[in-house]
Amino acid sequence: MLTREITKHLVVVLTYSSIFVGCGGGGGGGGGGRDGGSEPCIANCIRDGLSPRFCESFCRGTPPERGTSDGPARVIAADLNNDGIMDLATENRGFDNGISVLIGNGDWSFQPEQRIPINGFVGNLHPGDVNSDGITDLVATIDPTEAIDQLTEFLILLGSGEGGFCQRAFEAGGEPWSLRVIDLNDDNFLDIAASGLVAENEISIFLGNGDGTFQARQTYEAGENPVFLQMTDVSEDGALDILIANLVRDSSDQISVLLGKGDGSFGPPQPVFFVGPELTFASSGHLNDDGRIDLVIGASSRENFINRFEDVSVLFGDSTDLFTVVETFRFRGEGRAVKIADLNHDKFGDLLVINGTEFLRVFLGHGDGTFLGRRDRDGFLDGDGKYFFKVGYPSESFEVADLNADDFLDVMITTSGFNNNYVLILTGTGDGRFQQNSAGTFWQRRYSVGGTYRSGPKTPVTSCVE
């Protein structure tokens, strides 16, 4: 029985090891999912009956009984010291590995890692000004113990404007699968939305007071195993809605929407697209220039015993039906981490894909739901070889942002493994490509980040003064 369970979840890791991401282009309150490549894996592991802590650790490669895994699980880009230059922060794997901050120099380079020590497992790292002082803060979840199924806290790191932080925490009530920081009720104060805190079928909303504190939880029915995709005005009524992916036990996974009422409350979930039993990624962004949010959704299939491929559906935002399928195609490999961003300045979203190999793939969009590349005799879109970028390390997750204010989007890729715990910087050239280095790979800078046995200087964090 144990062998069968472990085998099943090894398959789950291969199938669901992708992410749900927001619009490409940087670190706003609603963008980005948890870029550890783990949300669908975690939710599907939980729905198959294992504990949230086991699933969190297993899907992210950290055995819960060890808590000593190396490397960054997720990277975000934001101005953390109020100098107008993008900095980086990483959520590190393992117990007591904390958060790493790399202060930017404005030229794609960064100062050495400063480690913020956190006593516990850190997850769901997001930037945002939660106390309305014009300085970027960090919000994350923290499990303060190494025990299974313990309550989780929200960790609020209020920025000083010089790259430092003070710490505040309050009880979350459970272990969220995903989290967003965004203004949901149009009062100019950032709020927190989390899925999976108390029940597997609910979204929890914590409205912000604008001073770094939050009101009591409000919960809303969200369907089975909801994982956040994006907060956006799908219905074009001026109120933010919640797009989610439902990972449904013994049935078809689906994309649903909870229509917002403008006051931070939401209606019941409405299915907008049925995916199939093996949803691997769902990315939102702008694929054409009509201003509506579009979706690219992948479902994993198997070409043979070894090779997998993605069945991809492209959905355009529609004022009548919310979303309409405009194109379907396949590509070989898996979509572990997928984002939509306009890399070549043609106002059409492009598709960026990493799948755990040493390559970043870019599919340039045409604005009609199709992407650059030819289809082979088996119907697979092979892209264009000029847009396959070798990075030299197995890729874990990535973020997209303009790091040096040249109006070209750059890519930050995390890698993790024995002596390979890095953030790699790929510098964009504005045409969908990246600068190549002398070794023939495409990262221009490499920064050591995370790791239990190799640690950067510690940045002390004190409790915030009330």
Side-chain angles (χ1 to χ4, degrees):
M1 181 66 177
L2 178 61
T3 302
R4 183 169 62 186
E5 284 295 304
I6 293 297
T7 301
K8 176 169 66 174
H9 287 286
L10 285 173
V11 173
V12 169
V13 170
L14 291 174
T15 302
Y16 292 96
S17 188
S18 67
I19 59 172
F20 292 88
V21 294
C23 301
R34 181 184 197 171
D35 283 7
S38 58
E39 280 186 349
C41 171
I42 293 169
N44 279 280
C45 174
I46 291 171
R47 78 181 182 183
D48 282 339
L50 297 183
S51 74
R53 173 53 58 203
F54 174 85
C55 295
E56 163 80 7
S57 300
F58 183 85
C59 292
R60 294 175 57 191
T62 307
E65 68 275 10
R66 291 180 58 198
T68 56
S69 177
D70 289 339
R74 166 172 159 75
V75 60
I76 60 172
D79 181 6
L80 298 177
N81 62 343
N82 222 30
D83 63 355
I85 296 172
M86 280 289 188
D87 311 306
L88 303 181
T90 66
E91 160 197 325
N92 298 326
R93 281 188 170 89
F95 188 80
D96 220 14
N97 262 0
I99 294 169
S100 296
V101 172
L102 289 79
I103 298 299
N105 298 317
D107 58 356
W108 299 305
S109 69
F110 294 85
Q111 298 173 30
E113 169 199 24
Q114 295 285 328
R115 186 77 62 88
I116 300 175
I118 303 296
N119 183 31
F121 292 96
V122 177
N124 294 295
L125 181 65
H126 285 273
D129 180 11
V130 297
N131 63 342
S132 309
D133 63 354
I135 299 170
T136 300
D137 311 308
L138 296 175
V139 178
T141 56
I142 176 173
D143 182 346
T145 75
E146 293 189 80
I148 303 292
D149 295 338
Q150 295 297 308
L151 295 180
T152 299
E153 295 177 337
F154 285 119
L155 175 69
I156 312 296
L157 294 173
L158 299 181
S160 68
E162 299 176 352
F165 299 88
C166 71
Q167 178 175 316
R168 177 180 292 161
F170 67 97
E171 185 177 298
E175 296 183 275
W177 297 336
S178 56
L179 175 150
R180 294 291 181 271
V181 181
I182 191 170
D183 181 6
L184 294 174
N185 58 346
D186 202 27
D187 63 356
N188 295 317
F189 299 153
L190 290 182
D191 312 306
I192 293 176
S195 66
L197 272 179
V198 178
E200 292 184 359
N201 61 349
E202 289 183 345
I203 298 292
S204 296
I205 304 296
F206 300 83
L207 296 179
N209 296 317
D211 59 358
T213 66
F214 295 84
Q215 299 174 29
R217 177 202 328 273
Q218 304 173 26
T219 58
Y220 299 92
E221 166 64 31
E224 188 172 347
N225 296 324
V227 180
F228 282 123
L229 174 56
Q230 177 65 294
M231 269 74 163
T232 185
D233 185 7
V234 174
S235 56
E236 299 184 316
D237 63 355
L240 282 178
D241 311 307
I242 300 179
L243 273 170
I244 58 176
N246 293 110
L247 305 181
V248 183
R249 191 190 312 270
D250 301 325
S251 185
S252 176
D253 296 332
Q254 64 192 39
I255 306 298
S256 302
V257 62
L258 280 67
L259 296 179
K261 301 177 182 179
D263 59 358
S265 65
F266 298 87
Q270 303 178 29
V272 295
F273 182 72
F274 292 92
V275 181
E278 294 197 16
L279 173 69
T280 47
F281 68 84
S283 300
S284 64
H286 298 286
L287 292 172
N288 53 21
D289 59 357
D290 66 359
R292 297 190 181 98
I293 286 291
D294 309 309
L295 301 176
V296 178
I297 299 167
S300 183
S301 298
R302 189 177 294 279
E303 186 176 11
N304 51 48
F305 182 75
I306 297 175
N307 298 320
R308 303 192 72 87
F309 63 87
E310 297 284 357
D311 279 310
V312 181
S313 299
V314 180
L315 287 72
F316 277 0
D318 187 302
S319 58
T320 302
D321 299 318
L322 298 183
F323 292 97
T324 300
V325 178
V326 296
E327 180 69 13
T328 60
F329 64 93
R330 293 176 169 180
F331 66 78
R332 287 188 171 88
E334 294 179 272
R336 285 197 174 188
V338 179
K339 288 186 182 292
I340 297 171
D342 181 9
L343 294 180
N344 60 345
H345 288 253
D346 62 358
K347 298 183 179 180
F348 303 143
D350 310 310
L351 204 60
L352 293 79
V353 180
I354 63 175
N355 61 0
T357 68
E358 297 184 2
F359 289 88
L360 169 71
R361 302 173 67 181
V362 173
F363 297 92
L364 294 181
H366 294 144
D368 58 359
T370 65
F371 296 87
L372 178 66
R374 63 177 182 84
R375 298 186 189 231
D376 64 20
R377 63 184 181 182
D378 296 318
F380 291 94
L381 185 70
D382 63 2
D384 187 311
K386 293 187 299 182
Y387 300 95
F388 280 36
F389 304 101
K390 185 176 182 180
V391 296
Y393 299 92
S395 305
E396 293 284 326
S397 66
F398 71 101
E399 182 59 278
V400 183
D402 180 4
L403 295 178
N404 64 330
D406 64 355
D407 205 28
F408 299 158
L409 289 178
D410 310 304
V411 171
M412 299 131 279
I413 294 178
T414 65
T415 70
S416 185
F418 184 70
N419 290 331
N420 288 330
N421 302 316
Y422 300 119
V423 173
L424 308 176
I425 309 299
L426 280 66
T427 56
T429 56
D431 58 358
R433 293 180 54 78
F434 302 92
Q435 295 183 21
Q436 193 169 12
N437 62 31
S438 58
T441 55
F442 285 85
W443 55 266
Q444 295 298 309
R445 301 281 194 282
R446 183 182 68 183
Y447 297 93
S448 295
V449 171
T452 302
Y453 302 109
R454 187 216 57 79
S455 176
K458 296 293 180 25
T459 300
V461 178
T462 59
S463 296
C464 298
V465 177
E466 298 296 336

